[in-house]
mmCIF file with all atom_site columns, all heavy atoms in Angstrom:
data_model
loop_
_atom_site.group_PDB
_atom_site.id
_atom_site.type_symbol
_atom_site.label_atom_id
_atom_site.label_alt_id
_atom_site.label_comp_id
_atom_site.label_asym_id
_atom_site.label_entity_id
_atom_site.label_seq_id
_atom_site.pdbx_PDB_ins_code
_atom_site.Cartn_x
_atom_site.Cartn_y
_atom_site.Cartn_z
_atom_site.occupancy
_atom_site.B_iso_or_equiv
_atom_site.pdbx_formal_charge
_atom_site.auth_seq_id
_atom_site.auth_comp_id
_atom_site.auth_asym_id
_atom_site.auth_atom_id
_atom_site.pdbx_PDB_model_num
ATOM 1   N N   . VAL A 1 29 ? 159.824 72.461 292.655 1.00 96.00 ? 29 VAL A N   1
ATOM 2   C CA  . VAL A 1 29 ? 160.053 72.260 291.222 1.00 96.00 ? 29 VAL A CA  1
ATOM 3   C C   . VAL A 1 29 ? 161.447 72.737 290.832 1.00 96.00 ? 29 VAL A C   1
ATOM 4   O O   . VAL A 1 29 ? 162.193 72.052 290.122 1.00 96.00 ? 29 VAL A O   1
ATOM 5   C CB  . VAL A 1 29 ? 158.972 72.999 290.401 1.00 96.00 ? 29 VAL A CB  1
ATOM 6   C CG1 . VAL A 1 29 ? 159.372 73.093 288.926 1.00 96.00 ? 29 VAL A CG1 1
ATOM 7   C CG2 . VAL A 1 29 ? 157.628 72.287 290.535 1.00 96.00 ? 29 VAL A CG2 1
ATOM 8   N N   . MET A 1 30 ? 161.824 73.925 291.281 1.00 95.00 ? 30 MET A N   1
ATOM 9   C CA  . MET A 1 30 ? 163.133 74.464 290.934 1.00 95.00 ? 30 MET A CA  1
ATOM 10  C C   . MET A 1 30 ? 164.261 73.593 291.465 1.00 95.00 ? 30 MET A C   1
ATOM 11  O O   . MET A 1 30 ? 165.335 73.502 290.849 1.00 95.00 ? 30 MET A O   1
ATOM 12  C CB  . MET A 1 30 ? 163.270 75.890 291.471 1.00 95.00 ? 30 MET A CB  1
ATOM 13  C CG  . MET A 1 30 ? 162.285 76.888 290.893 1.00 95.00 ? 30 MET A CG  1
ATOM 14  S SD  . MET A 1 30 ? 162.376 77.027 289.089 1.00 95.00 ? 30 MET A SD  1
ATOM 15  C CE  . MET A 1 30 ? 163.978 77.810 288.909 1.00 95.00 ? 30 MET A CE  1
ATOM 16  N N   . ALA A 1 31 ? 164.036 72.931 292.590 1.00 95.00 ? 31 ALA A N   1
ATOM 17  C CA  . ALA A 1 31 ? 165.074 72.083 293.184 1.00 95.00 ? 31 ALA A CA  1
ATOM 18  C C   . ALA A 1 31 ? 165.323 70.807 292.387 1.00 95.00 ? 31 ALA A C   1
ATOM 19  O O   . ALA A 1 31 ? 166.310 70.118 292.633 1.00 95.00 ? 31 ALA A O   1
ATOM 20  C CB  . ALA A 1 31 ? 164.703 71.735 294.620 1.00 95.00 ? 31 ALA A CB  1
ATOM 21  N N   . THR A 1 32 ? 164.459 70.483 291.425 1.00 96.00 ? 32 THR A N   1
ATOM 22  C CA  . THR A 1 32 ? 164.679 69.291 290.609 1.00 96.00 ? 32 THR A CA  1
ATOM 23  C C   . THR A 1 32 ? 165.715 69.522 289.514 1.00 96.00 ? 32 THR A C   1
ATOM 24  O O   . THR A 1 32 ? 166.112 68.573 288.832 1.00 96.00 ? 32 THR A O   1
ATOM 25  C CB  . THR A 1 32 ? 163.370 68.822 289.951 1.00 96.00 ? 32 THR A CB  1
ATOM 26  O OG1 . THR A 1 32 ? 162.905 69.821 289.024 1.00 96.00 ? 32 THR A OG1 1
ATOM 27  C CG2 . THR A 1 32 ? 162.289 68.552 290.986 1.00 96.00 ? 32 THR A CG2 1
ATOM 28  N N   . ASN A 1 33 ? 166.148 70.774 289.332 1.00 93.00 ? 33 ASN A N   1
ATOM 29  C CA  . ASN A 1 33 ? 167.180 71.105 288.355 1.00 93.00 ? 33 ASN A CA  1
ATOM 30  C C   . ASN A 1 33 ? 168.310 71.857 289.042 1.00 93.00 ? 33 ASN A C   1
ATOM 31  O O   . ASN A 1 33 ? 168.065 72.606 289.997 1.00 93.00 ? 33 ASN A O   1
ATOM 32  C CB  . ASN A 1 33 ? 166.596 71.992 287.240 1.00 93.00 ? 33 ASN A CB  1
ATOM 33  C CG  . ASN A 1 33 ? 165.908 71.192 286.153 1.00 93.00 ? 33 ASN A CG  1
ATOM 34  O OD1 . ASN A 1 33 ? 166.486 70.891 285.115 1.00 93.00 ? 33 ASN A OD1 1
ATOM 35  N ND2 . ASN A 1 33 ? 164.641 70.835 286.392 1.00 93.00 ? 33 ASN A ND2 1
ATOM 36  N N   . PRO A 1 34 ? 169.545 71.709 288.569 1.00 93.00 ? 34 PRO A N   1
ATOM 37  C CA  . PRO A 1 34 ? 170.652 72.457 289.161 1.00 93.00 ? 34 PRO A CA  1
ATOM 38  C C   . PRO A 1 34 ? 170.502 73.952 288.885 1.00 93.00 ? 34 PRO A C   1
ATOM 39  O O   . PRO A 1 34 ? 169.843 74.344 287.925 1.00 93.00 ? 34 PRO A O   1
ATOM 40  C CB  . PRO A 1 34 ? 171.893 71.878 288.460 1.00 93.00 ? 34 PRO A CB  1
ATOM 41  C CG  . PRO A 1 34 ? 171.379 71.291 287.188 1.00 93.00 ? 34 PRO A CG  1
ATOM 42  C CD  . PRO A 1 34 ? 169.985 70.818 287.474 1.00 93.00 ? 34 PRO A CD  1
ATOM 43  N N   . PRO A 1 35 ? 171.089 74.795 289.725 1.00 90.00 ? 35 PRO A N   1
ATOM 44  C CA  . PRO A 1 35 ? 170.890 76.242 289.583 1.00 90.00 ? 35 PRO A CA  1
ATOM 45  C C   . PRO A 1 35 ? 171.580 76.854 288.375 1.00 90.00 ? 35 PRO A C   1
ATOM 46  O O   . PRO A 1 35 ? 171.279 78.000 288.019 1.00 90.00 ? 35 PRO A O   1
ATOM 47  C CB  . PRO A 1 35 ? 171.475 76.807 290.884 1.00 90.00 ? 35 PRO A CB  1
ATOM 48  C CG  . PRO A 1 35 ? 172.474 75.782 291.320 1.00 90.00 ? 35 PRO A CG  1
ATOM 49  C CD  . PRO A 1 35 ? 171.909 74.452 290.912 1.00 90.00 ? 35 PRO A CD  1
ATOM 50  N N   . ASP A 1 36 ? 172.495 76.128 287.735 1.00 92.00 ? 36 ASP A N   1
ATOM 51  C CA  . ASP A 1 36 ? 173.249 76.711 286.617 1.00 92.00 ? 36 ASP A CA  1
ATOM 52  C C   . ASP A 1 36 ? 172.749 76.235 285.257 1.00 92.00 ? 36 ASP A C   1
ATOM 53  O O   . ASP A 1 36 ? 173.495 76.270 284.276 1.00 92.00 ? 36 ASP A O   1
ATOM 54  C CB  . ASP A 1 36 ? 174.735 76.384 286.755 1.00 92.00 ? 36 ASP A CB  1
ATOM 55  C CG  . ASP A 1 36 ? 175.008 74.875 286.734 1.00 92.00 ? 36 ASP A CG  1
ATOM 56  O OD1 . ASP A 1 36 ? 174.039 74.094 286.871 1.00 92.00 ? 36 ASP A OD1 1
ATOM 57  O OD2 . ASP A 1 36 ? 176.185 74.484 286.567 1.00 92.00 ? 36 ASP A OD2 1
ATOM 58  N N   . ILE A 1 37 ? 171.491 75.809 285.165 1.00 91.00 ? 37 ILE A N   1
ATOM 59  C CA  . ILE A 1 37 ? 170.991 75.308 283.879 1.00 91.00 ? 37 ILE A CA  1
ATOM 60  C C   . ILE A 1 37 ? 170.938 76.435 282.842 1.00 91.00 ? 37 ILE A C   1
ATOM 61  O O   . ILE A 1 37 ? 170.765 77.601 283.171 1.00 91.00 ? 37 ILE A O   1
ATOM 62  C CB  . ILE A 1 37 ? 169.600 74.668 284.023 1.00 91.00 ? 37 ILE A CB  1
ATOM 63  C CG1 . ILE A 1 37 ? 168.600 75.661 284.638 1.00 91.00 ? 37 ILE A CG1 1
ATOM 64  C CG2 . ILE A 1 37 ? 169.658 73.393 284.824 1.00 91.00 ? 37 ILE A CG2 1
ATOM 65  C CD1 . ILE A 1 37 ? 167.190 75.150 284.632 1.00 91.00 ? 37 ILE A CD1 1
ATOM 66  N N   . ASP A 1 38 ? 171.088 76.053 281.598 1.00 90.00 ? 38 ASP A N   1
ATOM 67  C CA  . ASP A 1 38 ? 171.056 76.985 280.478 1.00 90.00 ? 38 ASP A CA  1
ATOM 68  C C   . ASP A 1 38 ? 169.606 77.225 280.078 1.00 90.00 ? 38 ASP A C   1
ATOM 69  O O   . ASP A 1 38 ? 168.899 76.290 279.672 1.00 90.00 ? 38 ASP A O   1
ATOM 70  C CB  . ASP A 1 38 ? 171.850 76.394 279.307 1.00 90.00 ? 38 ASP A CB  1
ATOM 71  C CG  . ASP A 1 38 ? 171.932 77.329 278.116 1.00 90.00 ? 38 ASP A CG  1
ATOM 72  O OD1 . ASP A 1 38 ? 171.371 78.453 278.188 1.00 90.00 ? 38 ASP A OD1 1
ATOM 73  O OD2 . ASP A 1 38 ? 172.534 76.942 277.100 1.00 90.00 ? 38 ASP A OD2 1
ATOM 74  N N   . LEU A 1 39 ? 169.133 78.465 280.175 1.00 89.00 ? 39 LEU A N   1
ATOM 75  C CA  . LEU A 1 39 ? 167.743 78.801 279.869 1.00 89.00 ? 39 LEU A CA  1
ATOM 76  C C   . LEU A 1 39 ? 167.574 79.415 278.482 1.00 89.00 ? 39 LEU A C   1
ATOM 77  O O   . LEU A 1 39 ? 166.533 79.998 278.182 1.00 89.00 ? 39 LEU A O   1
ATOM 78  C CB  . LEU A 1 39 ? 167.205 79.778 280.925 1.00 89.00 ? 39 LEU A CB  1
ATOM 79  C CG  . LEU A 1 39 ? 167.201 79.278 282.370 1.00 89.00 ? 39 LEU A CG  1
ATOM 80  C CD1 . LEU A 1 39 ? 166.712 80.366 283.318 1.00 89.00 ? 39 LEU A CD1 1
ATOM 81  C CD2 . LEU A 1 39 ? 166.340 78.021 282.513 1.00 89.00 ? 39 LEU A CD2 1
ATOM 82  N N   . SER A 1 40 ? 168.576 79.272 277.630 1.00 89.00 ? 40 SER A N   1
ATOM 83  C CA  . SER A 1 40 ? 168.501 79.904 276.309 1.00 89.00 ? 40 SER A CA  1
ATOM 84  C C   . SER A 1 40 ? 167.480 79.243 275.393 1.00 89.00 ? 40 SER A C   1
ATOM 85  O O   . SER A 1 40 ? 167.009 79.867 274.437 1.00 89.00 ? 40 SER A O   1
ATOM 86  C CB  . SER A 1 40 ? 169.880 79.890 275.650 1.00 89.00 ? 40 SER A CB  1
ATOM 87  O OG  . SER A 1 40 ? 170.370 78.565 275.518 1.00 89.00 ? 40 SER A OG  1
ATOM 88  N N   . ASP A 1 41 ? 167.115 77.985 275.641 1.00 87.00 ? 41 ASP A N   1
ATOM 89  C CA  . ASP A 1 41 ? 166.142 77.284 274.790 1.00 87.00 ? 41 ASP A CA  1
ATOM 90  C C   . ASP A 1 41 ? 164.764 77.183 275.428 1.00 87.00 ? 41 ASP A C   1
ATOM 91  O O   . ASP A 1 41 ? 163.844 76.620 274.836 1.00 87.00 ? 41 ASP A O   1
ATOM 92  C CB  . ASP A 1 41 ? 166.636 75.866 274.470 1.00 87.00 ? 41 ASP A CB  1
ATOM 93  C CG  . ASP A 1 41 ? 167.856 75.874 273.557 1.00 87.00 ? 41 ASP A CG  1
ATOM 94  O OD1 . ASP A 1 41 ? 167.953 76.787 272.710 1.00 87.00 ? 41 ASP A OD1 1
ATOM 95  O OD2 . ASP A 1 41 ? 168.713 74.991 273.703 1.00 87.00 ? 41 ASP A OD2 1
ATOM 96  N N   . GLY A 1 42 ? 164.605 77.723 276.628 1.00 90.00 ? 42 GLY A N   1
ATOM 97  C CA  . GLY A 1 42 ? 163.317 77.660 277.308 1.00 90.00 ? 42 GLY A CA  1
ATOM 98  C C   . GLY A 1 42 ? 163.493 77.735 278.808 1.00 90.00 ? 42 GLY A C   1
ATOM 99  O O   . GLY A 1 42 ? 164.582 77.483 279.325 1.00 90.00 ? 42 GLY A O   1
ATOM 100 N N   . ARG A 1 43 ? 162.437 78.084 279.496 1.00 93.00 ? 43 ARG A N   1
ATOM 101 C CA  . ARG A 1 43 ? 162.496 78.216 280.946 1.00 93.00 ? 43 ARG A CA  1
ATOM 102 C C   . ARG A 1 43 ? 161.789 77.033 281.606 1.00 93.00 ? 43 ARG A C   1
ATOM 103 O O   . ARG A 1 43 ? 161.150 76.221 280.940 1.00 93.00 ? 43 ARG A O   1
ATOM 104 C CB  . ARG A 1 43 ? 161.847 79.525 281.397 1.00 93.00 ? 43 ARG A CB  1
ATOM 105 C CG  . ARG A 1 43 ? 160.367 79.638 281.046 1.00 93.00 ? 43 ARG A CG  1
ATOM 106 C CD  . ARG A 1 43 ? 159.743 80.867 281.688 1.00 93.00 ? 43 ARG A CD  1
ATOM 107 N NE  . ARG A 1 43 ? 159.673 80.737 283.132 1.00 93.00 ? 43 ARG A NE  1
ATOM 108 C CZ  . ARG A 1 43 ? 159.515 81.771 283.969 1.00 93.00 ? 43 ARG A CZ  1
ATOM 109 N NH1 . ARG A 1 43 ? 159.438 82.990 283.489 1.00 93.00 ? 43 ARG A NH1 1
ATOM 110 N NH2 . ARG A 1 43 ? 159.438 81.589 285.267 1.00 93.00 ? 43 ARG A NH2 1
ATOM 111 N N   . ILE A 1 44 ? 161.911 76.953 282.933 1.00 96.00 ? 44 ILE A N   1
ATOM 112 C CA  . ILE A 1 44 ? 161.188 75.932 283.677 1.00 96.00 ? 44 ILE A CA  1
ATOM 113 C C   . ILE A 1 44 ? 159.730 76.373 283.827 1.00 96.00 ? 44 ILE A C   1
ATOM 114 O O   . ILE A 1 44 ? 159.441 77.463 284.329 1.00 96.00 ? 44 ILE A O   1
ATOM 115 C CB  . ILE A 1 44 ? 161.819 75.697 285.054 1.00 96.00 ? 44 ILE A CB  1
ATOM 116 C CG1 . ILE A 1 44 ? 163.237 75.135 284.907 1.00 96.00 ? 44 ILE A CG1 1
ATOM 117 C CG2 . ILE A 1 44 ? 160.960 74.753 285.892 1.00 96.00 ? 44 ILE A CG2 1
ATOM 118 C CD1 . ILE A 1 44 ? 163.970 74.967 286.230 1.00 96.00 ? 44 ILE A CD1 1
ATOM 119 N N   . LEU A 1 45 ? 158.822 75.533 283.356 1.00 97.00 ? 45 LEU A N   1
ATOM 120 C CA  . LEU A 1 45 ? 157.392 75.767 283.480 1.00 97.00 ? 45 LEU A CA  1
ATOM 121 C C   . LEU A 1 45 ? 156.764 74.567 284.165 1.00 97.00 ? 45 LEU A C   1
ATOM 122 O O   . LEU A 1 45 ? 157.251 73.446 284.022 1.00 97.00 ? 45 LEU A O   1
ATOM 123 C CB  . LEU A 1 45 ? 156.748 75.960 282.099 1.00 97.00 ? 45 LEU A CB  1
ATOM 124 C CG  . LEU A 1 45 ? 157.240 77.135 281.257 1.00 97.00 ? 45 LEU A CG  1
ATOM 125 C CD1 . LEU A 1 45 ? 156.713 77.000 279.835 1.00 97.00 ? 45 LEU A CD1 1
ATOM 126 C CD2 . LEU A 1 45 ? 156.795 78.464 281.855 1.00 97.00 ? 45 LEU A CD2 1
ATOM 127 N N   . TRP A 1 46 ? 155.666 74.793 284.857 1.00 97.00 ? 46 TRP A N   1
ATOM 128 C CA  . TRP A 1 46 ? 154.991 73.659 285.499 1.00 97.00 ? 46 TRP A CA  1
ATOM 129 C C   . TRP A 1 46 ? 153.505 73.955 285.657 1.00 97.00 ? 46 TRP A C   1
ATOM 130 O O   . TRP A 1 46 ? 153.067 75.103 285.562 1.00 97.00 ? 46 TRP A O   1
ATOM 131 C CB  . TRP A 1 46 ? 155.620 73.324 286.847 1.00 97.00 ? 46 TRP A CB  1
ATOM 132 C CG  . TRP A 1 46 ? 155.603 74.415 287.885 1.00 97.00 ? 46 TRP A CG  1
ATOM 133 C CD1 . TRP A 1 46 ? 156.516 75.430 288.036 1.00 97.00 ? 46 TRP A CD1 1
ATOM 134 C CD2 . TRP A 1 46 ? 154.625 74.598 288.913 1.00 97.00 ? 46 TRP A CD2 1
ATOM 135 N NE1 . TRP A 1 46 ? 156.179 76.229 289.091 1.00 97.00 ? 46 TRP A NE1 1
ATOM 136 C CE2 . TRP A 1 46 ? 155.021 75.747 289.657 1.00 97.00 ? 46 TRP A CE2 1
ATOM 137 C CE3 . TRP A 1 46 ? 153.483 73.927 289.305 1.00 97.00 ? 46 TRP A CE3 1
ATOM 138 C CZ2 . TRP A 1 46 ? 154.303 76.218 290.745 1.00 97.00 ? 46 TRP A CZ2 1
ATOM 139 C CZ3 . TRP A 1 46 ? 152.757 74.389 290.389 1.00 97.00 ? 46 TRP A CZ3 1
ATOM 140 C CH2 . TRP A 1 46 ? 153.169 75.520 291.090 1.00 97.00 ? 46 TRP A CH2 1
ATOM 141 N N   . ARG A 1 47 ? 152.763 72.881 285.880 1.00 97.00 ? 47 ARG A N   1
ATOM 142 C CA  . ARG A 1 47 ? 151.316 73.000 286.097 1.00 97.00 ? 47 ARG A CA  1
ATOM 143 C C   . ARG A 1 47 ? 150.858 71.842 286.978 1.00 97.00 ? 47 ARG A C   1
ATOM 144 O O   . ARG A 1 47 ? 151.297 70.700 286.776 1.00 97.00 ? 47 ARG A O   1
ATOM 145 C CB  . ARG A 1 47 ? 150.564 72.959 284.764 1.00 97.00 ? 47 ARG A CB  1
ATOM 146 C CG  . ARG A 1 47 ? 149.074 73.287 284.900 1.00 97.00 ? 47 ARG A CG  1
ATOM 147 C CD  . ARG A 1 47 ? 148.354 73.197 283.572 1.00 97.00 ? 47 ARG A CD  1
ATOM 148 N NE  . ARG A 1 47 ? 148.107 71.837 283.164 1.00 97.00 ? 47 ARG A NE  1
ATOM 149 C CZ  . ARG A 1 47 ? 148.257 71.367 281.932 1.00 97.00 ? 47 ARG A CZ  1
ATOM 150 N NH1 . ARG A 1 47 ? 148.698 72.159 280.972 1.00 97.00 ? 47 ARG A NH1 1
ATOM 151 N NH2 . ARG A 1 47 ? 148.002 70.113 281.648 1.00 97.00 ? 47 ARG A NH2 1
ATOM 152 N N   . LEU A 1 48 ? 150.004 72.128 287.919 1.00 95.00 ? 48 LEU A N   1
ATOM 153 C CA  . LEU A 1 48 ? 149.427 71.096 288.778 1.00 95.00 ? 48 LEU A CA  1
ATOM 154 C C   . LEU A 1 48 ? 148.001 70.836 288.330 1.00 95.00 ? 48 LEU A C   1
ATOM 155 O O   . LEU A 1 48 ? 147.148 71.715 288.408 1.00 95.00 ? 48 LEU A O   1
ATOM 156 C CB  . LEU A 1 48 ? 149.449 71.538 290.247 1.00 95.00 ? 48 LEU A CB  1
ATOM 157 C CG  . LEU A 1 48 ? 148.875 70.548 291.245 1.00 95.00 ? 48 LEU A CG  1
ATOM 158 C CD1 . LEU A 1 48 ? 149.728 69.290 291.301 1.00 95.00 ? 48 LEU A CD1 1
ATOM 159 C CD2 . LEU A 1 48 ? 148.756 71.191 292.624 1.00 95.00 ? 48 LEU A CD2 1
ATOM 160 N N   . ASP A 1 49 ? 147.731 69.626 287.860 1.00 95.00 ? 49 ASP A N   1
ATOM 161 C CA  . ASP A 1 49 ? 146.389 69.233 287.454 1.00 95.00 ? 49 ASP A CA  1
ATOM 162 C C   . ASP A 1 49 ? 145.739 68.461 288.598 1.00 95.00 ? 49 ASP A C   1
ATOM 163 O O   . ASP A 1 49 ? 146.316 67.502 289.121 1.00 95.00 ? 49 ASP A O   1
ATOM 164 C CB  . ASP A 1 49 ? 146.424 68.363 286.203 1.00 95.00 ? 49 ASP A CB  1
ATOM 165 C CG  . ASP A 1 49 ? 146.604 69.182 284.920 1.00 95.00 ? 49 ASP A CG  1
ATOM 166 O OD1 . ASP A 1 49 ? 146.965 70.370 285.043 1.00 95.00 ? 49 ASP A OD1 1
ATOM 167 O OD2 . ASP A 1 49 ? 146.390 68.635 283.833 1.00 95.00 ? 49 ASP A OD2 1
#
Side-chain angles (χ1 to χ4, degrees):
V29 166
M30 297 302 291
T32 65
N33 277 263
D36 61 347
I37 56 172
D38 183 0
L39 300 177
S40 59
D41 291 327
R43 61 172 292 162
I44 296 176
L45 299 168
W46 60 274
R47 189 182 76 222
L48 180 65
D49 281 14

